[in-house]
Amino acid sequence: MSVLQRPAFRRWSWFAIAALVLVSLVRAGTTEGSPRTDEDRVLAIASTLKCPTCRSQSVADSDSAAARAIRVDIARRVADGQSADEIRAAIAATYGDDVQLVPGRSGWAGLVWVLPVAGLVAALAAVAAVLARWRRTPRTRASDEDKALVEAALARAHRRERPEGP
Amino acid sequence: MTHSEAPDDLVLDDGPGRGRTALVAAVVVGLLAVAFVVVLATRDPSTERSTQSPLLGRVAPTIVGPTLDGGEYALSDHRGRWVVVNFFATWCTPCIVEHPELMDFQERHAELGDATVVSVLFDDRPDTAQAFFEREGGDWPVVIDDDGAASVAYGVARVPESFVVAPDGTVVQRLVGGITAEQLDGVLAAFGAGSETADGGA
Amino acid sequence: MNAALGTGGVVIGAAGSLLGVVTLGLGLRRKRPVLLQTGWSYSLLVLVGAIVAVVAMERALITRDFSVQFVHDNGSSRTPALFNVATLWSALEGSILLWALILAGFTVHVARRFRRRLDDPLVGWALLTMLVVCAFFFLMMLGPANPFVTVEVPAGYDGPGPNPLLQDHILMAFHPPMLYLGYVGFTVPFAFAIAALVTGRLGEGWLVETRRATLMAWGFLTAGIVLGAWWSYEVLGWGGYWGWDPVENASLLPWLTGTAYLHSVMVQERRGMLRVWNLSLLCATFSLTILGTFLTRSGVAESVHAFSDGDIGIWLLGFFALIVAVTLGLIGWRGDRLRAPGRIDSPLSREGAFLANNVLFAGFAFVVLLGTVFPLVVEAIDGSALTVGPPYFDRMTIPLGLVILFLMAVAPVLPWRTTNLETLSQRLLWPAWIGAITLFLTVAFGARGWAPIVTFALGGFAGGAALRQVVLATRRQGWRGLVGRTNGGMVVHLGVVVVAVAIAASGSYATHSEARYEPGQTRVVGGHEITYLETVEVQERNRTATKVRVQVDGGKVYEPTLSRYPGFGQLIGTPSVKTGLREDVYLRITRLPETDGGPVTLDVIIEPMALWLWVGGGLMAVGTVLAAFPGRRRRPEMPVSAPVPGAVGPPADEPDPDADPDADLTTVGAPR
């Protein structure tokens, strides 16, 4: 694939790729998604609530009696025009707060959202700091002795693998 | 090491600096690990659900619907008397076990006229329930909760589960699992004297 | 008789491991090689004990010897033969027994492999560590997890059999042993890590020696996880394969740190860097297997899987605490000797990519661990009940996954030390084309949702990069271009890409359709014709099954089932799946007909590309096997410029920009 070695080809290629990506993303962004039916909304809300008899399956996934009954209830509320938050609150009102699969943002529960982000920021900062420190501290210089050692080792390695020699 | 002449001892000793960082890091992680282990060690593996319910002290949600014998039931019709709302299914063993207790309770209080029982069918077929009641007896309304609306309103996930509703229409007690007539009498006694505490100690 | 035999086996195992620990400890302390040589005998003794115990238990299961409590609680005359054997690992005590057997096997393997170097303290300490772990598990079987407790058997007693969910499918026979081979396999490199830390011999030798064991352990763990997902899909019947269930997470956590470790060791082998990372990742992997076992067995985290038993939880937690303490102590003590001779010259390099990889996987593991234990922590703090469910995990892990996918595309083409944009431009061009075209086609076919679209695009990019490597390698080395660490690794990457694409497709574009069907009625769901035929009740050996016969697309008849197993009150639902190349038609019963000839309520789920999940998993397994082959490659300590033996390409000292980056010559700074 020697065409890769021609800078001109590469440059135009990358332009074309960028153009293709841009066009695709724009198209994706502006395509109308199919309008959400009531059934979609019910399933969406149901997937954020835990089925009370299951360990962590959502009301949308479970086919236990309680889950089915709750789905019917959600459907009724959606038809009534209640919002997702209202519906979730209503179900949690009788089944308990632990039926919400998505932890709230406030109080201790909010930690579960904050900690990963904080951790990521800390990790990036640490890596950046370490890299910067390495860049600052001067590298050790190799002594002539060291260089000779390396040359000898390299020669050995190359000779060993190719007995016919250069 | 035989084949690998890998630099076993090519370690640059950076002096105390690096060693101290490692030590501090190890201590910090260690403390976190200790806290973590303590938390896990003190968790109760029991999966018992408490008898708490958000409904306690509030007006009992309505139960309206057709019954097994073809009539129509409404919970509000029974204001002025204690009502034991019992969610059950015929495939559930503790429900079968508690059935005679409910019969006992219902018969006694039917004479006194102060309390009554209503069963709500949970995920079961009406004809099976009908056969069950004909076989075992039990003379109280059984609501066919076809779409599960009543179970959702009361937050019932498993059966058997029972709620004791006071004559004024408020829920005073939630009982998870099979119950006995003695237990029910106890609840009536505890709350019947006009006690305000909704936090049941059962 | 079985109980006595089994207990005898466990005692032998426990005694063997304890004696081995003491003897090896003495030998290491007093520097007596003779004592160290006994490591081989003690390992064998432990294995013999384990085999005897397992044989005893299987015998008890097969002969339905209900006097053994484990068989009393879990066996049954109705269970079919294969599932009966698999009953061993269907409940707590038996699975500990299986773990002990596999552990003993690995210990003997280590002793045998290093039999000529048993007097080397490094090997001695490694064997000692393995025997300590053996001792723990065998002692647990003499304590809280005793499988051979006997019980009085009433006349005519027949056991309940294993949990019905575990009798449904052949996969149940393979999923736990695979998983345990993975978990236990990581004990080997862990033991050597401890040995390296204790002896202070922190060079790269032990890494190279344990590479194959680590790779196979990872492979088994991957296979176990994929099989578990398949079982969840085919058996549990909720239409999905991954629910971020605490037990699923418990198996994923060591996989994440293990994957990071597998990659990161390459940096240590080549440049002696990231030592602390590698040791930490490895020890974390092993600790997480124990923590995971604790979470699974103690019942602390509610789960579909959970076996629960209070006592065993404390033992496992204590062992976990011990491991963490020892590990932290050793790393803290040896911190000064872990300083690397080199440094990362540039973030745009293979080392930099692997460092980024470590951070991303560690972050991924952190998020999963946090979500899993957070409810417990919050409950400890203020008593409130909290659930962290799939929406949280999805939201947190999808971005991480996408970045990892991107890294997977770029990292294999990055040279060591540093590079320039020129090189990258050459190497990434074709993969970038594939990614861009994939993106265009995805959007052209009307896909919606940024997450799946980006996944497809990055999948094309990463797949293209992996494919490019494989093509180049096979061109240079013939069929040998498929084996060896790098090439096998590229096949594994291809598998990962397929899995990622399948997850995106089935996760974002699945459609549910729940409806009532009269007998003979046909509905069209997602382009498929679903016809309800009839419901039949079948009495099988171990259950009464009510099968709903459904014809899909006018062809084969599928039978989703609701079964009643005597001894288990609840009805167990089993789905039926029509697997297709493009999508699966997943059928499950919501409500049986109430009267004969009445309507049935069926839930039909269309899962796009579900098959490719399993294909991708299989590809990952194949790639792992390929990677374990001793490929014809430079030894890791050889310089990058040394030619790969057997290469048929141009001689090594000519710059060849399209060459396999492992033989890259544009490495800046390499002394010539």
Side-chain angles (χ1 to χ4, degrees):
Chain A
M1 283 196 269
S2 59
V3 68
L4 280 175
Q5 287 177 287
R6 290 204 219 106
F9 173 77
R10 288 205 303 271
R11 214 172 304 136
W12 283 114
S13 259
W14 284 109
F15 271 129
I17 289 172
L20 198 58
V21 168
L22 208 58
V23 162
S24 311
L25 289 177
V26 164
R27 175 99 209 294
T30 53
T31 318
E32 284 265 317
S34 54
R36 273 187 130 191
T37 61
D38 268 357
E39 198 180 307
D40 286 338
R41 285 198 65 208
V42 168
L43 278 181
I45 297 172
S47 65
T48 59
L49 288 167
K50 182 177 79 160
C51 139
T53 50
C54 319
R55 301 316 186 176
S56 59
Q57 279 178 40
S58 72
V59 165
D61 290 329
S62 167
D63 54 359
S64 75
R68 274 185 275 128
I70 295 176
R71 281 203 295 271
V72 170
D73 191 60
I74 296 176
R76 191 171 47 81
R77 291 176 190 269
V78 163
D80 265 349
Q82 293 183 16
S83 79
D85 284 332
E86 282 171 358
I87 297 176
R88 272 195 281 269
I91 306 287
T94 47
Y95 281 96
D97 268 322
D98 60 338
V99 90
Q100 300 241 39
L101 281 177
V102 188
R105 307 262 169 167
S106 57
W108 288 111
L111 265 185
V112 83
W113 298 104
V114 167
L115 281 177
V117 177
L120 186 66
V121 167
L124 288 174
V127 169
V130 163
L131 282 177
R133 177 159 54 101
W134 273 341
R135 203 160 294 205
R136 270 202 311 269
T137 40
R139 262 200 251 180
T140 48
R141 303 252 115 236
S143 72
D144 286 329
E145 221 175 73
D146 289 336
K147 286 197 191 139
L149 264 176
V150 173
E151 284 291 343
L154 270 178
R156 261 203 317 275
H158 285 249
R159 252 203 317 276
R160 195 185 309 170
E161 309 292 356
R162 273 188 306 120
E164 61 266 25
Chain B
M1 308 282 149
T2 45
H3 77 272
S4 155
E5 261 72 44
D8 256 16
D9 35 351
L10 183 56
V11 280
L12 292 184
D13 197 351
D14 202 31
R18 174 67 181 215
R20 238 216 8 224
T21 320
L23 199 58
V24 167
V27 168
V28 168
V29 175
L31 286 175
L32 282 172
V34 166
F36 181 61
V37 168
V38 166
V39 165
L40 288 178
T42 52
R43 290 309 95 215
D44 181 9
S46 147
T47 52
E48 290 296 317
R49 288 165 71 200
S50 72
T51 49
Q52 286 292 9
S53 161
L55 296 175
L56 294 181
R58 305 228 301 268
V59 175
T62 55
I63 300 180
V64 171
T67 60
L68 274 184
D69 53 9
E72 187 77 9
Y73 179 89
L75 182 61
S76 46
D77 290 346
H78 296 264
R79 280 287 172 90
R81 282 190 296 174
W82 291 91
V83 183
V84 175
V85 179
N86 170 254
F87 290 84
F88 92 110
T90 58
W91 44 258
C92 132
T93 313
C95 305
I96 301 173
V97 167
E98 74 174 358
H99 192 79
E101 300 282 329
L102 284 172
M103 282 173 61
D104 175 39
F105 176 85
Q106 202 272 344
E107 275 162 19
R108 274 189 289 111
H109 287 271
E111 287 173 23
L112 297 171
D114 63 345
T116 178
V117 176
V118 58
S119 282
V120 180
L121 196 58
F122 179 86
D123 188 32
D124 203 357
R125 293 162 56 154
D127 55 349
T128 330
Q130 182 79 335
F132 177 81
F133 269 82
E134 275 165 16
R135 205 172 49 237
E136 309 290 330
D139 185 25
W140 60 82
V142 181
V143 178
I144 306 169
D145 187 29
D146 195 43
D147 57 359
S151 66
V152 174
Y154 279 77
V156 171
R158 290 187 185 83
V159 284
E161 199 164 313
S162 309
F163 293 83
V164 180
V165 181
D168 64 356
T170 55
V171 177
V172 297
Q173 182 72 305
R174 169 182 178 226
L175 298 156
V176 174
I179 52 182
T180 61
E182 200 181 310
Q183 237 177 326
L184 289 172
D185 286 328
V187 173
L188 259 58
F191 290 94
S195 155
E196 299 287 56
T197 49
D199 185 38
Chain C
M1 157 64 182
N2 287 318
L5 193 63
T7 312
V10 174
V11 167
I12 294 175
S17 29
L18 283 172
L19 282 173
V21 167
V22 168
T23 313
L24 284 180
L26 272 175
L28 286 163
R29 189 79 198 279
R30 305 259 175 90
K31 305 212 201 316
R32 299 251 207 90
V34 170
L35 289 179
L36 292 180
Q37 296 284 359
T38 62
W40 169 233
S41 326
Y42 283 116
S43 313
L44 263 182
L45 193 60
V46 174
L47 182 62
V48 164
I51 292 178
V52 166
V54 169
V55 164
M57 182 55 91
E58 286 292 6
R59 189 159 171 274
L61 279 170
I62 292 172
T63 58
R64 273 78 174 183
D65 178 1
F66 294 117
S67 68
V68 177
Q69 173 134 44
F70 185 78
V71 182
H72 177 276
D73 293 343
N74 299 295
S76 166
S77 61
R78 283 179 301 263
T79 316
L82 178 63
F83 292 116
N84 199 30
V85 168
T87 305
L88 176 69
W89 50 81
S90 69
L92 178 65
E93 296 82 2
S95 45
I96 301 286
L97 189 51
L98 180 67
W99 189 304
L101 175 68
I102 298 176
L103 183 58
F106 272 108
T107 310
V108 165
H109 167 77
V110 167
R112 186 155 182 285
R113 183 145 182 273
F114 292 92
R115 62 188 177 282
R116 280 191 248 284
R117 287 163 39 191
L118 284 175
D119 50 351
D120 182 347
L122 188 78
V123 176
W125 276 106
L127 216 45
L128 180 91
T129 310
M130 292 206 72
L131 285 171
V132 167
V133 182
C134 285
F136 171 73
F137 279 94
F138 278 95
L139 285 174
M140 234 184 7
M141 282 198 286
L142 288 176
N146 193 341
F148 294 107
V149 176
T150 51
V151 79
E152 280 287 317
V153 187
Y157 175 82
D158 197 6
N163 189 311
L165 289 172
L166 306 174
Q167 286 190 60
D168 233 357
H169 204 285
I170 186 88
L171 284 171
M172 192 44 211
F174 294 108
H175 159 59
M178 283 272 168
L179 218 44
Y180 288 8
L181 280 166
Y183 288 155
V184 178
F186 275 108
T187 315
V188 175
F190 171 73
F192 275 92
I194 297 288
L197 280 167
V198 170
T199 56
R201 281 154 61 178
L202 292 158
E204 286 52 66
W206 66 272
L207 283 182
V208 177
E209 315 250 19
T210 56
R211 176 180 97 84
R212 196 157 288 136
T214 313
L215 190 60
M216 294 319 281
W218 183 88
F220 282 123
L221 190 54
T222 309
I225 293 175
V226 172
L227 279 176
W230 194 2
W231 173 74
S232 184
Y233 185 69
E234 293 272 339
V235 175
L236 288 186
W238 56 281
Y241 42 82
W242 190 265
W244 296 109
D245 182 85
V247 171
E248 292 173 331
N249 296 348
S251 66
L252 186 64
L253 284 168
W255 185 88
L256 290 167
T257 52
T259 307
Y261 171 73
L262 265 185
H263 289 83
S264 184
V265 288
M266 295 193 235
V267 178
Q268 186 168 346
E269 280 179 17
R270 182 167 301 283
R271 297 201 58 202
M273 296 197 293
L274 300 186
R275 283 182 180 148
V276 177
W277 267 107
N278 290 333
L279 285 167
S280 310
L281 284 170
L282 184 52
C283 296
T285 306
F286 182 68
S287 315
L288 285 169
T289 61
I290 303 295
L291 181 67
T293 312
F294 164 76
L295 286 174
T296 313
R297 313 255 177 236
S298 66
V300 155
E302 301 191 2
S303 158
V304 177
H305 272 81
F307 318 73
S308 44
D309 183 331
D311 269 351
I312 198 165
I314 282 298
W315 276 65
L316 286 165
L317 194 59
F319 192 50
F320 170 74
L322 178 69
I323 295 170
V324 172
V326 166
T327 309
L328 285 176
L330 283 172
I331 295 182
W333 173 43
R334 291 293 195 197
D336 51 339
R337 306 201 77 197
L338 292 170
R339 181 94 169 78
R343 53 192 48 192
I344 297 185
D345 302 291
S346 150
L348 208 61
S349 64
R350 188 88 61 99
E351 301 95 308
F354 281 140
L355 180 60
N357 194 50
N358 283 353
V359 172
L360 286 168
F361 271 97
F364 202 125
F366 174 67
V367 164
V368 174
L369 184 61
L370 182 67
T372 310
V373 302
F374 199 68
L376 300 168
V377 171
V378 166
E379 198 205 307
I381 295 180
D382 72 354
S384 57
L386 178 77
T387 315
V388 177
Y392 169 81
F393 288 105
D394 287 340
R395 209 173 297 183
M396 286 286 162
T397 59
I398 288 178
L400 278 170
L402 289 174
V403 178
I404 289 176
L405 208 52
F406 175 76
L407 204 59
M408 205 167 76
V410 173
V413 306
L414 281 173
W416 294 93
R417 301 297 294 274
T418 186
T419 186
N420 46 40
L421 280 181
E422 188 81 5
T423 316
L424 279 184
S425 162
Q426 287 179 15
R427 294 178 176 182
L428 288 176
L429 196 57
W430 294 124
W433 266 117
I434 297 178
I437 292 174
T438 313
L439 173 61
F440 182 73
L441 288 174
T442 310
V443 174
F445 277 115
R448 314 162 305 283
W450 68 269
I453 289 177
V454 172
T455 309
F456 294 145
L458 287 176
F461 189 32
L467 215 50
R468 175 184 169 273
Q469 297 292 90
V470 174
V471 164
L472 283 175
T474 43
R475 272 206 308 174
R476 290 191 87 210
Q477 300 168 48
W479 68 267
R480 285 217 178 77
L482 284 175
V483 301
R485 177 152 78 180
T486 317
N487 305 318
M490 288 302 111
V491 175
V492 175
H493 279 193
L494 278 173
V496 173
V497 166
V498 172
V499 168
V501 166
I503 290 178
S506 59
S508 311
Y509 303 129
T511 50
H512 280 245
S513 172
E514 195 174 16
R516 207 169 262 200
Y517 292 74
E518 300 286 341
Q521 184 179 3
T522 305
R523 287 181 195 267
V524 176
V525 178
H528 293 269
E529 279 181 10
I530 313 289
T531 313
Y532 166 50
L533 298 175
E534 56 175 352
T535 304
V536 295
E537 202 170 283
V538 174
Q539 181 65 44
E540 290 177 7
R541 192 170 144 198
N542 55 345
R543 62 179 185 172
T544 313
T546 310
K547 303 190 186 206
V548 172
R549 310 194 64 227
V550 178
Q551 189 176 39
V552 178
D553 291 331
K556 189 165 163 217
V557 174
Y558 291 85
E559 298 178 339
T561 311
L562 274 178
S563 314
R564 188 177 293 286
Y565 289 77
F568 289 91
Q570 252 188 317
L571 282 177
I572 306 289
T574 313
S576 188
V577 185
K578 173 178 196 278
T579 312
L581 276 182
R582 238 184 38 160
E583 58 202 6
D584 277 6
V585 179
Y586 191 101
L587 302 161
R588 60 182 185 146
I589 306 172
T590 312
R591 252 190 165 173
L592 283 173
E594 303 199 344
T595 52
D596 275 332
V600 72
T601 312
L602 281 178
D603 191 10
V604 179
I605 308 177
I606 309 289
E607 296 257 9
M609 297 197 69
L611 170 69
W612 296 97
L613 264 168
W614 323 125
V615 168
L619 208 52
M620 286 171 80
V622 166
T624 310
V625 171
L626 290 174
F629 265 83
R632 291 270 206 94
R633 59 188 294 281
R634 278 170 269 97
R635 290 200 295 279
E637 344 45 285
M638 284 294 116
V640 187
S641 53
V644 175
V648 298
D653 47 15
E654 272 175 23
D656 182 358
D658 301 311
D660 186 326
D662 265 355
D664 174 65
L665 303 163
T666 60
T667 308
V668 171
R672 303 278 309 139

